[in-house]
Amino acid sequence: MSFPDYYGKNLDALDDVLSDVATFSYGSDPATAGTVLAIVDFDALLQIDHRTGQKILEIFARQARLAALYGHPMLCLVETTASDLGTVGGTDVYAGTVWDTPPDPPDPFAEADVLEFGFQIYATQGEAADYVSALGQVIAPVLGEIGRWQILDPALASENAVHFRQENPSPRQQPGQQLWDVFVGVRGVGDAMVLGEEVFHAVERAGMVFEQMSQILYNNGYQEAAFEKYRELADFPNG
């Protein structure tokens, strides 16, 4: 939020600087719809010091009321399992879950289709090969329940992808590393959205870093192009 260099890094200082954010002095823009502060894994703080966690929310609530006087909507979204936040500084804490939002619509795939997952990584050639080996072990339990799958050897990313990454550099890129694509093809029966989330979380839990994950469903006449890429899947039943 563009806190100044003299920010004292304590609760009193947080109260002071948030009042400046509320009044558009810095860290906020009156031309936008408002300011949202999102705090993930708030439970980590509550477990260390519940009082400090509560105090941070009270400070934000107080300055959000000040902001309202300036026509500045301020919202604080907190990811937490805590159920005892109740009222903070005279302001009700509204609780909701991800299930309050409509789920993604089903995206089924059949045995005749090919579902592809792609991972972009920064690595040396040897590191990319090690990544593929580790990735196979991580996703095998997930994909094995769906059907057959094939993971391809790593390939250097396209010039367009490299150019984009050059314009948007990653702090994870180390000297000597290049941008690689790692692709996985799957045939079987399931829901692409559900399976994509399961693959993503499996890789994330394993601590495997990637720049981007993508997925493409080859169906409606596009399967042959996928079979050229994933030859081990071409002789699957209904292929």
Side-chain angles (χ1 to χ4, degrees), residues 123-125 153-159 161-162 177-181 183:
T124 63
Q125 186 171 4
D153 291 334
L156 289 173
S158 67
E159 291 185 7
V162 172
Q177 292 183 333
Q178 296 174 284
L179 188 63
W180 297 81
D181 283 322
F183 292 109

Side-chain angles (χ1 to χ4, degrees), residues 20 47 75 82 89 96 108 115 129 143 178 182-183 185 190 198 201 210-211:
D20 292 331
Q47 291 170 5
L75 178 67
L115 177 61
L143 301 185
Q178 296 174 284
V182 178
F183 292 109
E198 292 177 351
H201 290 303
F210 54 87
E211 297 303 311

Side-chain angles (χ1 to χ4, degrees), residues 8-27:
K9 299 180 181 179
N10 56 55
L11 293 179
D12 289 337
L14 178 65
D15 197 17
D16 288 339
V17 295
L18 276 182
S19 68
D20 292 331
V21 172
T23 56
F24 297 117
S25 296
Y26 49 72

Side-chain angles (χ1 to χ4, degrees), residues 196-209:
E197 291 183 3
E198 292 177 351
V199 169
F200 175 86
H201 290 303
V203 174
E204 186 181 48
R205 285 194 299 269
M208 301 187 66
V209 177

Side-chain angles (χ1 to χ4, degrees), residues 120 122 158-170 179 211-212:
Q120 279 195 343
Y122 277 112
S158 67
E159 291 185 7
N160 287 339
V162 172
H163 181 69
F164 174 81
R165 293 298 176 186
Q166 289 174 341
E167 293 184 343
N168 301 271
S170 168
L179 188 63
E211 297 303 311
Q212 176 178 308

Side-chain angles (χ1 to χ4, degrees), residues 116 132 150-155 181-185 229-231:
E116 178 182 77
V132 168
Q150 179 185 355
I151 184 168
L152 303 181
D153 291 334
D181 283 322
V182 178
F183 292 109
V184 182
K229 191 173 183 179
Y230 299 99
R231 295 185 178 275

Side-chain angles (χ1 to χ4, degrees), residues 49-215:
D49 188 343
H50 193 284
R51 178 182 175 279
T52 296
Q54 190 95 2
K55 189 68 174 178
I56 288 174
L57 298 183
E58 291 177 359
I59 290 172
F60 193 94
R62 178 166 57 252
Q63 299 307 337
R65 288 195 294 272
L66 170 65
L69 299 177
Y70 290 79
H72 178 190
M74 286 180 63
L75 178 67
C76 184
L77 301 177
V78 178
E79 179 194 44
T80 178
T81 60
S83 59
D84 58 348
L85 295 178
T87 300
V88 173
T91 300
D92 290 334
V93 175
Y94 294 93
T97 72
V98 293
W99 303 114
D100 291 336
T101 60
D104 291 322
D107 190 11
F109 60 94
E111 289 181 346
D113 306 326
V114 176
L115 177 61
E116 178 182 77
F117 297 109
F119 297 86
Q120 279 195 343
I121 62 171
Y122 277 112
T124 63
Q125 186 171 4
E127 290 169 344
D130 291 341
Y131 191 97
V132 168
S133 177
L135 180 64
Q137 297 180 38
V138 168
I139 63 177
V142 178
L143 301 185
E145 297 182 358
I146 300 298
R148 283 178 61 185
W149 58 279
Q150 179 185 355
I151 184 168
L152 303 181
D153 291 334
L156 289 173
S158 67
E159 291 185 7
N160 287 339
V162 172
H163 181 69
F164 174 81
R165 293 298 176 186
Q166 289 174 341
E167 293 184 343
N168 301 271
S170 168
R172 289 182 286 271
Q173 184 180 13
Q174 300 299 313
Q177 292 183 333
Q178 296 174 284
L179 188 63
W180 297 81
D181 283 322
V182 178
F183 292 109
V184 182
V186 186
R187 288 195 70 186
V189 178
D191 186 294
M193 296 301 298
V194 173
L195 185 59
E197 291 183 3
E198 292 177 351
V199 169
F200 175 86
H201 290 303
V203 174
E204 186 181 48
R205 285 194 299 269
M208 301 187 66
V209 177
F210 54 87
E211 297 303 311
Q212 176 178 308
M213 174 181 166
S214 61
Q215 69 181 58

